[in-house]
Amino acid sequence: MAKYTPMMEQYLRIKAQVPDAFLFFRLGDFYEMFFQDAQKAAEELEITLTGREAGGEERIPMCGVPYHSAQVYIERLIEKGYKVAICEQVEDPATAKGVVKREIVRVITPGTVMEESMLQEEENRFLLALVESEGMYALSAVDLSTGECHVTQTDSPLFFLDEALSYQPKEIVVEQEEQEWLAHFRQRGGIFISPFSLSEELRKRAYQLGVSQLVGFEETCCEPAIQRSLELLLAYLQETQKRSLGHLHRLRSYDAKRYMMLDESARRNLELTTTLSEGKKRGSLLGLLDKTATAMGSRLLKKWLDKPLLDREEIERRQEIVEGFRTDLLGLSGLQEALRKVYDLERLAARVAYGTAHARDLLSLGRSLQQIPRVLEVLSSFQTPEIQAPLAQLDICSDLAEGILEAIVEEPPLSVKEGGILRAGYHAPLDELREIQKNGKTWIASLEQQERDATGIKSLKIGYNRVFGYYIEVTKSNLKHLPDGRYVRKQTLANAERFITSELKEKEQLILHASEKSTVLEYELFVSLRDEIAKHVPRLQRLSEWIAELDVLHAFAVISNIYRYVRPFVHGGEQLWIEEGRHPVVEAASTHAFIANDVQMDGSDRQILVVTGPNMAGKSTYMRQVALTVILAQIGCFVPAKRAQVPLIDRIFTRIGAADDLAGGRSTFMVEMSETCHALKEATNRSLVLLDEVGRGTSTYDGMALAHAIVEYLHHQVRAKTLFSTHYHELIHLEEELSRVVNVHAKCEEQDGKVVFLHKIVPGGADRSYGIHVAELAGLPEPVIKRAKVILTELESGIPDNTGNSRKVELQQMSIFDFLESESGVVRENGSELARDPIEEEVLEELRSWDLLNRSPMETLQWLQELKRKLTE
């Protein structure tokens, strides 16, 4: 191994502690990186790669970033999924003997971000620790930026994966990398997997932290898997953060099965929090509902959408509050205005406990607390008992507000180490030092005038710099006017000389000592104030929880008033009945009146609705609006309908749209079948299943057979309420065969050869698909449309054989390929077999070899025309 300088040996020792992170190594005013870190960082950050001598035979790679702007570069690395270890000088270089001592003070990872600039105001940033132990799967989740911590466990691996993904984690900590279920997360972008070895020493330290800080930790840890996951999480935080985690108080142990489970597919297809097309909040259900006035409320709303309730009593409590708010429009408006002046108490409190809050954070906290009495004043106008109930016991932290606002100036600087933070009168010794500074500066100004008068030099001035302190500056042309003996030369410039006097140096010592002492004292007082507030973080967190819930329920009332939502009756029975239901997001985005539709489902007569009709007729909208209405009802919101009765639904499954999974090596049809399989295996008789065009990704007969079998299985085995949209008209007859299957269809009319979509769901099955009409609306060339209509007419009426006779064939949804080539190798007519002649065999051979997927529609149509010519000549 090469012999390196002592400083570089120190770097290598420290780097060995964090092999999976970029090490930002503090050297003066820069964070430097070396070796492979430098090469990779230069590439990722697009900064210059240089080199330096380090005692070895060759120059080593090096790059660096200024410490004052390092945050920008750290943020870019974290968003790319890397870790960054911050290594600081922990002793004064002026007094250090040998190499300055350095230590890692923090490791920033995708799941442990605390910096305000790197956080999304309206989103949580969760770190998860996942453990599998003795057949149980445990999950611990923490948002370090808010201090919330959640734990749960299950014996179902599929349920475990769905629950973990519901947090949309940025980082997952695991003890071992070989678990098969980790592949489920690696296939998804944006999730960083962090292997972490949990030694016995680390486990003990983590357990002690949990006992000392997390309320209910020991009771929760009676379950071995949960204890292991919590210890893994806390140990990882201790090793990476290396500072107080005092804001981690709120440990929530919950049974995931007490909430509606929405897997990743359901959240995506229903566009709960982001849109399918652009992945943005705008256009999603969250985007519509988010009329919250605070960041805390916005984050809580998203959590509620991810975890709708199965607790009818809690749902009704929320409904009562929404009802109370929406009946008093003036009070609701006043509440909204009051809440808008409340800053993000959760994250402010977390930064206080974490030790990173600056003076502006404390001022924001104080002003927010100062606004709470106004919120209470507005709430007093509402008569609803559920609104009034918590007010009597509410701790509004007025003492903290008073202490902060008495201490911090109106416009404090961002830096906490340069003074100017605390008000005059807050601390008497600090005021004395400030008075010395103030008087000293006045004395300096007075001295300058005295010296001008004494010497007659009008341009004489007294200045200051950090190297020489205070000095008297005189131009060279005026040096002859200076008195002898009193001025001592300090520095010579090109056009002037600088001097000092014993009187000036004496005053300088007094002023500078007061300034330095004042700055140090003010920083100490600020830290003391911050530490004192940190002792009350649990109080602040309880208050922030109440504000967040109040904000979300106020938003429900606002949105219900805007769009005329009604209070649904949520019950424990089986009937799902929605009268004149509407899709909330589509309705809000429409410029014309939304066509409302009814739905009636139960477990006895109407378990499965087979929905037929053409594309563009509103089938998918209808299915989605049923699911969204259920979700809205179970989060306590009112719903877009004239009336609604909603049973408690435990899970919603969706199989909607066509998409492949190239990264996972799955075709569109495989994705379709995988999602359908998940629904069939996991759904219960209390679930809601939405299946859209299942089976269309394969051949007609295969798809029809699968669709038929799936409906039967849902009917006989699962018994979940199901909306089954299909183009296979053959499935309509299932209404006659299965007692709980009912046909409905999207009504259309044909006027002057054009199809008119009425967007109305009515009883019965559709009589045709209108596929060519939809293709015409999409803008396909007129020759293609005309030729398709001719072919369709021939298929429906019969195709001439080579003798000129017409052979009737019942095609229904059979494609031309299925018609010309049956599995038996012959064409059947009225049950009898017809032998093919050589021309037919030639045509079939061409059919077998035609590469349909790599040919354009026009080429295929022209080729079909040629086949027809061969058969009819």
Side-chain angles (χ1 to χ4, degrees):
M1 183 176 177
K3 175 66 175 175
Y4 292 112
T5 62
M7 189 275 290
M8 190 52 59
E9 288 179 351
Q10 181 191 54
Y11 169 84
L12 291 171
R13 285 195 303 272
I14 296 174
K15 173 61 184 174
Q17 300 172 24
V18 284
D20 60 341
F22 284 102
L23 180 62
F24 274 41
F25 190 77
R26 182 70 177 270
L27 286 177
D29 289 339
F30 280 80
Y31 286 117
E32 303 288 3
M33 287 164 277
F34 304 101
F35 301 104
Q36 291 182 345
D37 273 11
Q39 293 171 333
K40 187 67 175 176
E43 176 185 337
E44 294 287 0
L45 298 174
E46 299 179 356
I47 57 178
T48 303
L49 179 67
T50 62
R52 70 174 286 162
E53 301 295 337
E57 297 179 0
E58 299 179 355
R59 287 169 61 86
I60 64 171
M62 180 184 81
C63 71
V65 298
Y67 85 95
H68 58 80
S69 61
Q71 191 61 44
V72 176
Y73 298 99
I74 294 171
E75 182 174 349
R76 287 165 62 183
L77 290 173
I78 295 300
E79 289 307 310
K80 288 174 179 284
Y82 295 107
K83 298 179 180 180
V84 177
I86 308 299
C87 180
E88 295 285 5
Q89 298 172 172
V90 294
E91 64 176 344
D92 187 349
T95 60
K97 296 180 180 179
V99 178
V100 177
K101 186 178 179 181
R102 295 178 176 86
E103 292 178 357
I104 295 174
V105 297
R106 183 184 171 202
V107 180
I108 307 172
T109 75
T112 60
V113 167
M114 284 292 291
E115 288 69 18
E116 188 175 2
S117 63
M118 297 168 66
L119 293 168
Q120 294 295 320
E121 186 179 70
E122 299 173 351
E123 294 182 8
N124 284 98
R125 196 176 184 104
F126 280 110
L127 167 72
L128 265 58
L130 304 182
V131 167
E132 177 185 357
S133 177
E134 300 177 1
M136 297 299 293
Y137 298 85
L139 171 157
S140 292
V142 68
D143 181 346
L144 201 60
S145 72
T146 63
E148 58 193 290
C149 187
H150 309 274
V151 293
T152 190
Q153 70 172 6
T154 179
D155 59 358
S156 167
L158 287 176
F159 196 90
F160 169 66
L161 297 176
D162 287 339
E163 183 65 18
L165 284 172
S166 73
Y167 283 92
Q168 300 174 41
K170 293 294 183 181
E171 183 179 5
I172 293 175
V173 184
V174 293
E175 286 191 85
Q176 299 173 336
E177 287 194 271
E178 61 267 18
Q179 289 100 327
E180 293 182 5
W181 43 263
L182 275 179
H184 195 70
F185 302 105
R186 289 197 175 98
Q187 291 173 3
R188 287 151 179 82
I191 301 179
F192 191 87
I193 307 296
S194 294
F196 184 70
S197 179
L198 189 61
S199 65
E200 186 61 23
E201 180 184 354
L202 289 176
R203 189 197 68 77
K204 288 180 179 178
R205 285 174 49 203
Y207 188 86
Q208 290 170 355
L209 175 64
V211 170
S212 63
Q213 283 191 200
L214 293 175
V215 178
F217 175 81
E218 291 179 280
E219 294 85 345
T220 302
C221 285
C222 62
E223 299 290 345
I226 288 182
Q227 177 176 338
R228 191 73 177 180
S229 71
L230 269 172
E231 289 171 349
L232 180 64
L233 181 71
L234 294 175
Y236 184 75
L237 290 175
Q238 285 180 307
E239 285 297 287
T240 57
Q241 303 312 290
K242 301 180 183 298
R243 65 179 69 197
S244 169
L245 299 173
H247 62 304
L248 298 186
H249 294 281
R250 297 181 291 171
L251 177 61
R252 301 281 173 76
S253 177
Y254 68 98
D255 180 359
K257 293 184 178 179
R258 295 185 61 187
Y259 299 89
M260 180 197 292
M261 170 56 70
L262 294 162
D263 62 20
E264 186 182 29
S265 174
R267 289 194 303 273
R268 181 182 65 250
N269 290 325
L270 295 175
E271 298 183 298
L272 291 187
T273 57
T274 57
T275 58
L276 274 169
S277 58
E278 298 180 329
K280 294 182 178 179
K281 175 181 174 180
R282 183 181 176 86
S284 68
L285 183 61
L286 175 62
L288 172 70
L289 294 179
D290 197 356
K291 303 297 182 184
T292 57
T294 70
M296 299 172 289
S298 187
R299 289 194 299 270
L300 183 62
L301 172 58
K302 185 175 183 298
K303 290 178 209 166
W304 283 10
L305 279 174
D306 284 330
K307 284 184 167 49
L309 296 169
L310 292 178
D311 183 340
R312 182 181 172 188
E313 185 176 334
E314 175 60 16
I315 292 171
E316 290 178 345
R317 185 189 71 84
R318 292 181 185 177
Q319 289 180 337
E320 287 292 330
I321 295 175
V322 175
E323 186 74 63
F325 284 154
R326 70 172 300 188
T327 54
D328 184 349
L329 295 181
L330 187 62
L332 184 62
S333 176
L335 177 61
Q336 189 173 51
E337 288 302 313
L339 288 173
R340 281 177 179 161
K341 297 178 181 178
V342 178
Y343 295 96
D344 196 340
L345 291 177
E346 269 189 322
R347 283 184 169 161
L348 288 171
R351 288 201 288 273
V352 167
Y354 198 70
T356 58
H358 46 66
R360 294 181 189 177
D361 286 334
L362 292 195
L363 188 61
S364 295
L365 180 60
R367 287 174 175 170
S368 297
L369 296 177
Q370 190 180 40
Q371 184 65 19
I372 304 302
R374 171 57 185 159
V375 174
L376 296 182
E377 180 184 344
V378 175
L379 290 176
S380 65
S381 67
F382 296 98
Q383 302 305 312
T384 306
E386 286 78 6
I387 295 176
Q388 297 298 321
L391 302 187
Q393 292 79 33
L394 188 67
D395 177 6
I396 62 174
C397 303
S398 56
D399 55 323
L400 300 183
E402 184 179 343
I404 292 170
L405 297 176
E406 285 181 353
I408 307 296
V409 298
E410 284 295 323
E411 296 182 4
L414 192 59
S415 172
V416 297
K417 293 187 176 181
E418 297 179 6
I421 293 173
L422 300 177
R423 290 179 181 273
Y426 177 70
H427 190 263
L430 177 62
D431 289 343
E432 292 176 6
L433 292 170
R434 285 175 170 174
E435 189 64 27
I436 292 173
Q437 289 178 266
K438 180 181 177 180
N439 291 339
K441 291 176 181 177
T442 302
W443 184 88
I444 292 291
S446 175
L447 177 66
E448 183 180 70
Q449 188 60 47
Q450 290 175 19
E451 292 297 324
R452 287 176 180 176
D453 294 341
T455 61
I457 303 172
K458 301 299 183 183
S459 61
L460 180 150
K461 65 180 179 180
I462 297 179
Y464 172 82
N465 66 37
R466 292 187 179 183
V467 177
F468 297 108
Y470 285 99
Y471 56 82
I472 300 172
E473 184 173 294
V474 178
T475 59
K476 288 189 175 180
S477 61
N478 286 308
L479 291 177
K480 60 181 179 292
H481 299 298
L482 293 179
D484 295 331
R486 199 163 67 85
Y487 281 61
V488 179
R489 181 177 279 104
K490 190 68 176 177
Q491 186 183 17
T492 300
L493 303 178
N495 298 312
E497 296 282 349
R498 288 177 175 174
F499 302 89
I500 60 173
T501 66
S502 58
E503 185 182 16
L504 180 61
K505 292 307 292 181
E506 182 180 339
K507 201 68 176 179
E508 175 190 288
Q509 290 299 317
L510 184 63
I511 295 171
L512 294 183
H513 177 72
S515 177
E516 180 181 346
K517 192 171 181 181
S518 170
T519 301
V520 172
L521 177 59
E522 189 165 3
Y523 175 68
E524 291 174 351
L525 291 171
F526 171 78
V527 171
S528 177
L529 174 63
R530 186 173 64 189
D531 290 345
E532 180 60 31
I533 297 170
K535 297 176 184 177
H536 302 276
V537 162
R539 295 172 61 196
L540 292 169
Q541 289 175 333
R542 286 191 294 271
L543 179 61
S544 70
E545 287 176 1
W546 176 75
I547 289 288
E549 181 179 293
L550 186 71
D551 193 13
V552 175
L553 296 174
H554 128 268
F556 287 172
V558 170
I559 205 75
S560 297
N561 280 335
I562 293 173
Y563 295 108
R564 299 170 290 103
Y565 290 0
V566 300
R567 179 174 179 171
F569 172 60
V570 179
H571 59 93
E574 294 187 339
Q575 180 158 8
L576 172 59
W577 177 56
I578 302 169
E579 182 181 354
E580 296 186 14
R582 312 183 303 274
H583 189 297
V585 181
V586 175
E587 178 189 36
S590 297
T591 57
H592 51 79
F594 187 90
I595 305 300
N597 279 294
D598 300 341
V599 64
Q600 187 173 355
M601 305 179 74
D602 54 45
S604 56
D605 300 314
R606 301 174 65 88
Q607 174 209 332
I608 301 175
L609 300 187
V610 175
V611 188
T612 51
N615 289 321
M616 300 289 294
K619 302 195 306 294
S620 293
T621 299
Y622 176 71
M623 295 170 68
R624 285 183 170 99
Q625 76 185 41
V626 173
L628 295 181
T629 298
V630 169
I631 291 170
L632 287 173
Q634 291 186 218
I635 64 173
C637 187
F638 288 13
V639 301
K642 184 177 180 180
R643 277 186 291 271
Q645 293 183 20
V646 178
L648 291 172
I649 298 294
D650 65 352
R651 299 195 65 163
I652 294 180
F653 297 89
T654 64
R655 160 78 300 271
I656 299 174
D660 54 23
D661 177 14
L662 296 178
R666 300 189 301 168
S667 67
T668 300
F669 184 62
M670 177 59 78
V671 172
E672 179 182 325
M673 289 297 100
S674 296
E675 291 180 354
T676 304
C677 174
H678 186 50
L680 296 182
K681 286 185 175 180
E682 297 295 311
T684 71
N685 63 348
R686 295 175 59 207
S687 302
L688 177 64
V689 179
L690 310 183
L691 299 178
D692 187 21
E693 304 295 351
V694 170
R696 67 180 170 184
T698 185
S699 70
T700 302
Y701 285 154
D702 280 355
M704 194 187 308
L706 282 166
H708 188 133
I710 288 167
V711 172
E712 286 185 345
Y713 189 82
L714 285 165
H715 184 274
H716 297 318
Q717 302 294 327
V718 182
R719 298 178 70 95
K721 294 177 182 63
T722 303
L723 290 164
F724 194 98
S725 170
T726 183
H727 276 111
Y728 295 135
H729 293 184
E730 292 77 6
L731 298 184
I732 293 174
H733 70 84
L734 290 175
E735 183 181 56
E736 301 173 1
E737 299 177 8
L738 304 174
S739 63
R740 296 186 301 282
V741 171
V742 176
N743 290 324
V744 296
H745 71 279
K747 189 176 181 181
C748 298
E749 291 181 356
E750 194 170 346
Q751 300 175 1
D752 301 325
K754 302 291 185 180
V755 65
V756 177
F757 301 119
L758 302 179
H759 302 292
K760 195 68 178 176
I761 305 298
V762 297
D767 59 348
R768 54 193 299 191
S769 293
Y770 295 96
I772 295 177
H773 295 81
V774 175
E776 187 174 9
L777 287 174
L780 261 65
E782 186 177 353
V784 175
I785 298 298
K786 288 182 176 179
R787 180 58 186 154
K789 289 179 178 178
V790 171
I791 295 172
L792 178 62
T793 301
E794 292 178 350
L795 292 174
E796 290 179 339
S797 62
I799 298 178
D801 62 17
N802 60 351
T803 65
N805 297 321
S806 178
R807 294 181 295 168
K808 292 285 187 178
V809 180
E810 294 296 329
L811 293 174
Q812 298 171 348
Q813 284 297 96
M814 195 184 305
S815 71
I816 189 169
F817 305 105
D818 297 320
F819 165 66
L820 291 174
E821 183 179 14
S822 64
E823 292 182 359
S824 62
V826 296
V827 176
R828 299 180 182 274
E829 181 182 12
N830 298 326
S832 61
E833 295 185 357
L834 299 177
R836 294 196 181 101
D837 62 17
I839 294 177
E840 290 177 334
E841 293 294 339
E842 179 184 346
V843 169
L844 286 174
E845 186 58 36
E846 290 187 45
L847 279 167
R848 293 188 184 96
S849 61
W850 184 257
D851 188 359
L852 183 62
L853 295 179
N854 292 311
R855 299 285 189 166
S856 70
M858 184 57 71
E859 287 177 316
T860 299
L861 286 172
Q862 291 172 345
W863 171 73
L864 284 171
Q865 178 64 23
E866 178 61 22
L867 293 186
K868 179 186 175 185
R869 185 191 61 76
K870 289 182 180 181
L871 289 171
T872 56
E873 284 181 350

